[in-house]
Amino acid sequence: MNNLSIIIITGLSGAGKSHAAKVFEDLGYYTIDNVPLPILEKVVELFYSLDNGITKVAFVIDSRAKDINLVYQFIKMLKDKYNATSIFMDASSETLIKRYKETRRKHPLGSDVSESIKKEITLMGNVKDISDIVLNTDNKSIHDLTKEIISIFAIHANDFIVTLQSFGFKNGVPTDADMMFDVRFMRNPHFDDGLRTMTGLNEEVQEYVKSDESYHKFMEKLTDMVNMLIPLYVIEGKKYFNISIGCTGGKHRSVTVVENLAAALSNNSCNIRIKHRDIDK
């Protein structure tokens, strides 16, 4: 049986459940909207039994199921039996009425929008009470809501990918870099006959580069900056952060810096990928 992370997206109609589902899709969740409750547990068991690489699932369960008592029972079952996390999308009556007027959609509980909203707020009270997280979307833009969901559910996840790339300026600068640093100010092992044929993967080359008095101060400031930026980019909704480090040939200094920066970031919750573009040129 595989490990499965289950999120339940529930709440009031018009409070932002559809957008929340899209955000979870972007976070790598397999999202299922309005699955028939009688088959819900069968669907969950199917995900557990299949070895298909799906480890995160989000279910949207709300008043469209008609029987709110069943909605409550199934959400409680998922929480108790499968350790699911439930997020309740909430908003005031005034906000919901305004949104329905703007979209001219029909409320799932009836044609009288105002009465249907009032009824749903009452009926969904028990569901709200057992929810792990209640997000009020009054005065929140789609962008604000996206950032808030990501800040809660992704800040400790390993979905964020940091690519550290070494390169040589003589071979051209990379076009996919979000940030680029030039380390040609450091001592160049190329001019040492014993190190010229080696690369920054060799300990002798690394020790040579680290002997430069500017190396440690530069690495300290670079590491601090990257550690500061990673959670900010995650909250903003970025999925990738590409950092390129360049020296003249892309074999010694830039490789050394990339390897040691990766080690310094190893305790971070993101995925670190290393690419030495020009090491074999």
Side-chain angles (χ1 to χ4, degrees), residues 25-264:
E25 283 185 1
D26 290 340
L27 291 175
Y29 283 79
Y30 190 99
T31 305
I32 303 176
D33 190 358
N34 199 26
V35 62
L37 294 182
I39 67 169
L40 176 58
E41 189 168 11
K42 294 292 184 183
V43 174
V44 174
E45 291 174 352
L46 183 62
F47 275 112
Y48 269 106
S49 65
L50 294 176
D51 185 17
N52 56 5
I54 296 176
T55 58
K56 301 189 293 185
V57 181
F59 294 101
V60 182
I61 305 173
D62 53 35
S63 61
R64 288 173 294 172
K66 303 303 180 185
D67 189 336
I68 305 299
N69 288 328
L70 274 181
V71 171
Y72 173 84
Q73 291 171 19
F74 273 93
I75 290 177
K76 192 172 188 311
M77 178 273 295
L78 290 174
K79 289 169 62 65
D80 293 343
K81 189 173 180 179
Y82 298 99
N83 199 31
T85 299
S86 59
I87 174 172
F88 189 95
M89 309 303 294
D90 196 18
S92 66
S93 299
E94 294 76 14
T95 296
L96 296 173
I97 290 172
K98 180 181 178 182
R99 289 174 182 172
Y100 267 96
K101 285 182 177 179
E102 291 173 349
T103 61
R104 298 183 180 181
R105 292 172 51 220
K106 181 182 178 182
H107 195 282
L109 297 187
S111 57
D112 188 320
V113 172
S114 181
E115 288 300 316
S116 297
I117 289 172
K118 187 184 301 182
K119 180 180 179 182
E120 187 180 36
I121 290 174
T122 301
L123 291 174
M124 294 290 283
N126 288 340
V127 174
K128 181 178 178 179
D129 289 341
I130 64 169
S131 294
D132 298 292
I133 298 163
V134 177
L135 285 186
N136 187 287
T137 62
D138 290 339
N139 304 315
K140 281 189 176 70
S141 66
I142 288 177
H143 184 65
D144 293 334
L145 182 56
T146 300
K147 290 176 66 175
E148 187 163 4
I149 293 173
I150 290 175
S151 69
I152 296 170
F153 288 92
I155 195 65
H156 299 297
N158 59 356
D159 298 315
F160 190 73
I161 298 172
V162 177
T163 299
L164 305 177
Q165 175 177 239
S166 66
F167 73 95
F169 278 97
K170 73 176 185 179
N171 299 309
V173 298
T175 58
D176 58 349
D178 295 309
M179 299 187 74
M180 188 182 304
F181 296 92
D182 183 348
V183 295
R184 289 177 291 186
F185 59 86
M186 296 179 185
R187 295 180 67 197
N188 191 352
H190 176 78
F191 298 111
D192 186 303
D193 292 338
L195 302 177
R196 184 174 301 160
T197 59
M198 297 183 185
T199 72
L201 298 178
N202 295 107
E203 185 177 350
E204 296 91 336
V205 171
Q206 292 207 12
E207 290 304 316
Y208 183 93
V209 174
K210 290 178 181 180
S211 68
D212 189 302
E213 62 180 15
S214 62
Y215 171 85
H216 294 285
K217 188 173 183 179
F218 171 79
M219 288 299 296
E220 180 182 352
K221 290 184 178 297
L222 177 61
T223 304
D224 286 345
M225 180 177 64
V226 174
N227 275 324
M228 177 196 72
L229 290 175
I230 287 173
L232 298 178
Y233 285 153
V234 170
I235 292 173
E236 190 62 25
K238 281 178 67 70
K239 298 295 181 62
Y240 306 98
F241 185 21
N242 298 324
I243 303 173
S244 292
I245 310 292
C247 60
T248 304
K251 292 185 177 183
H252 300 111
R253 292 167 289 181
S254 61
V255 173
T256 297
V257 171
V258 162
E259 289 290 324
N260 285 274
L261 180 58

